[in-house]
Amino acid sequence: MEKLQKTLEEWRAMLDPEQYNVCRLKGTERPFSGKYNDTKTDGVYHCICCNEPLFDSQTKFDSGCGWPSFYAPIEGSAVVEVRDVSHGMIRTEVVCAKCDAHLGHVFPDGPPPTGLRYCINSVCLDLVPRG
Protein backbone atom coordinates (compact mmCIF):
# COMPACT_ATOMS: atom_id res chain seq x y z
CA MET A 1 0.00 0.00 0.00
CA GLU A 2 1.33 3.39 -0.97
CA LYS A 3 1.47 5.80 1.98
CA LEU A 4 -0.45 9.06 1.85
CA GLN A 5 1.75 11.81 3.25
CA LYS A 6 0.79 15.41 3.98
CA THR A 7 2.25 18.12 6.17
CA LEU A 8 0.53 18.98 9.45
CA GLU A 9 -0.57 22.24 7.83
CA GLU A 10 -2.23 20.30 4.97
CA TRP A 11 -3.99 18.00 7.47
CA ARG A 12 -5.14 20.99 9.53
CA ALA A 13 -6.66 22.60 6.42
CA MET A 14 -8.69 19.49 5.49
CA LEU A 15 -9.84 18.30 8.95
CA ASP A 16 -12.03 19.98 11.53
CA PRO A 17 -10.30 20.85 14.84
CA GLU A 18 -11.45 17.69 16.68
CA GLN A 19 -10.50 15.41 13.78
CA TYR A 20 -7.08 17.07 13.58
CA ASN A 21 -6.50 16.77 17.33
CA VAL A 22 -7.37 13.07 17.43
CA CYS A 23 -6.08 11.84 14.06
CA ARG A 24 -2.88 13.86 13.77
CA LEU A 25 -2.01 14.81 17.39
CA LYS A 26 -3.09 11.47 18.99
CA GLY A 27 -5.86 12.97 21.10
CA THR A 28 -9.10 11.23 22.05
CA GLU A 29 -12.76 12.10 22.11
CA ARG A 30 -14.72 11.97 25.36
CA PRO A 31 -16.25 8.55 26.08
CA PHE A 32 -19.89 8.11 25.00
CA SER A 33 -19.71 11.33 22.93
CA GLY A 34 -18.86 9.93 19.48
CA LYS A 35 -21.47 9.67 16.75
CA TYR A 36 -20.75 5.98 16.08
CA ASN A 37 -20.66 4.71 19.67
CA ASP A 38 -24.24 3.35 19.53
CA THR A 39 -24.66 3.07 15.75
CA LYS A 40 -26.07 -0.21 14.42
CA THR A 41 -26.04 0.77 10.71
CA ASP A 42 -24.73 -1.95 8.39
CA GLY A 43 -21.72 -0.76 6.39
CA VAL A 44 -18.01 -0.13 6.27
CA TYR A 45 -16.11 2.37 8.41
CA HIS A 46 -13.49 4.35 6.45
CA CYS A 47 -10.60 6.52 7.63
CA ILE A 48 -11.73 10.16 7.78
CA CYS A 49 -8.28 11.28 6.56
CA CYS A 50 -7.74 9.08 3.50
CA ASN A 51 -11.03 7.17 2.97
CA GLU A 52 -9.32 3.77 3.34
CA PRO A 53 -11.77 1.03 4.48
CA LEU A 54 -10.85 0.07 8.07
CA PHE A 55 -13.63 -1.83 9.87
CA ASP A 56 -16.79 -3.69 8.84
CA SER A 57 -19.91 -3.08 10.93
CA GLN A 58 -20.33 -6.86 11.22
CA THR A 59 -17.31 -6.90 13.56
CA LYS A 60 -18.66 -4.05 15.74
CA PHE A 61 -19.85 -4.90 19.25
CA ASP A 62 -21.03 -3.07 22.35
CA SER A 63 -18.09 -3.16 24.76
CA GLY A 64 -19.54 -0.55 27.10
CA CYS A 65 -16.26 1.40 27.01
CA GLY A 66 -17.73 4.55 25.42
CA TRP A 67 -16.09 4.27 22.00
CA PRO A 68 -16.98 2.18 18.95
CA SER A 69 -15.43 -1.26 19.39
CA PHE A 70 -14.57 -3.86 16.77
CA TYR A 71 -13.08 -7.33 17.19
CA ALA A 72 -11.10 -7.16 13.90
CA PRO A 73 -10.08 -4.71 11.18
CA ILE A 74 -11.56 -5.16 7.70
CA GLU A 75 -8.35 -6.89 6.59
CA GLY A 76 -5.00 -7.52 8.18
CA SER A 77 -3.28 -4.65 6.38
CA ALA A 78 -5.91 -1.93 7.01
CA VAL A 79 -4.44 -0.87 10.36
CA VAL A 80 -1.03 -0.97 11.97
CA GLU A 81 -0.40 -1.60 15.67
CA VAL A 82 2.25 0.53 17.39
CA ARG A 83 3.60 0.29 20.95
CA ASP A 84 2.39 3.31 22.95
CA VAL A 85 4.08 4.19 26.25
CA SER A 86 2.46 7.61 26.70
CA HIS A 87 0.54 8.69 29.81
CA GLY A 88 2.45 6.27 32.06
CA MET A 89 0.86 3.20 30.44
CA ILE A 90 1.90 0.53 27.99
CA ARG A 91 -0.76 0.14 25.32
CA THR A 92 -1.04 -0.75 21.66
CA GLU A 93 -2.01 2.18 19.45
CA VAL A 94 -3.96 1.57 16.23
CA VAL A 95 -3.16 3.73 13.19
CA CYS A 96 -4.39 3.73 9.60
CA ALA A 97 -1.95 1.78 7.43
CA LYS A 98 -2.32 4.23 4.54
CA CYS A 99 -2.02 7.65 6.22
CA ASP A 100 -0.83 6.93 9.80
CA ALA A 101 -3.90 8.60 11.35
CA HIS A 102 -4.24 7.79 15.05
CA LEU A 103 -7.48 5.79 15.42
CA GLY A 104 -7.42 4.52 18.99
CA HIS A 105 -6.05 1.46 20.81
CA VAL A 106 -6.47 -2.31 20.79
CA PHE A 107 -6.89 -4.38 23.95
CA PRO A 108 -6.88 -8.17 24.57
CA ASP A 109 -10.35 -8.24 26.21
CA GLY A 110 -12.69 -8.56 23.23
CA PRO A 111 -15.10 -11.29 22.17
CA PRO A 112 -14.44 -14.36 20.03
CA PRO A 113 -13.25 -15.08 17.47
CA THR A 114 -10.21 -12.78 18.00
CA GLY A 115 -10.43 -11.87 21.69
CA LEU A 116 -9.46 -8.32 20.70
CA ARG A 117 -11.20 -4.97 21.26
CA TYR A 118 -10.25 -2.28 18.79
CA CYS A 119 -11.40 0.83 20.68
CA ILE A 120 -11.69 3.50 17.98
CA ASN A 121 -12.57 7.20 18.10
CA SER A 122 -15.74 8.00 16.09
CA VAL A 123 -14.20 11.23 14.86
CA CYS A 124 -11.61 9.20 12.92
CA LEU A 125 -14.26 7.28 11.01
CA ASP A 126 -16.75 7.79 8.20
CA LEU A 127 -19.45 5.11 7.97
CA VAL A 128 -20.46 4.19 4.42
CA PRO A 129 -23.78 2.30 4.65
CA ARG A 130 -24.03 -0.96 2.72
CA GLY A 131 -26.46 -1.06 -0.22
Side-chain angles (χ1 to χ4, degrees):
M1 174 182 306
E2 187 174 328
K3 287 279 191 181
L4 173 64
Q5 296 182 349
K6 295 182 180 223
T7 66
L8 286 178
E9 292 77 26
E10 290 172 313
W11 287 121
R12 187 186 309 268
M14 74 170 275
L15 300 170
D16 71 33
E18 187 178 20
Q19 291 167 337
Y20 179 78
N21 180 55
V22 175
C23 296
R24 307 322 309 178
L25 302 180
K26 301 179 187 283
T28 191
E29 63 193 6
R30 288 185 338 273
F32 303 102
S33 69
K35 65 183 175 180
Y36 297 128
N37 185 51
D38 295 322
T39 300
K40 308 284 190 239
T41 303
D42 186 36
V44 175
Y45 291 86
H46 292 246
C47 177
I48 198 69
C49 294
C50 69
N51 200 38
E52 193 68 18
L54 300 174
F55 296 94
D56 192 292
S57 65
Q58 294 180 0
T59 66
K60 190 173 187 281
F61 68 100
D62 183 7
S63 68
C65 72
W67 291 273
S69 297
F70 305 85
Y71 62 76
I74 201 161
E75 58 184 63
S77 62
V79 300
V80 175
E81 297 178 9
V82 180
R83 181 179 165 95
D84 176 2
V85 294
S86 64
H87 306 292
M89 298 178 269
I90 299 174
R91 300 178 292 174
T92 303
E93 177 187 13
V94 179
V95 300
C96 174
K98 184 171 182 178
C99 71
D100 293 327
H102 169 77
L103 303 172
H105 291 86
V106 61
F107 302 95
D109 60 1
T114 65
L116 297 173
R117 173 174 52 100
Y118 288 82
C119 185
I120 307 298
N121 291 282
S122 289
V123 72
C124 303
L125 302 173
D126 181 37
L127 174 59
V128 178
R130 222 180 304 276

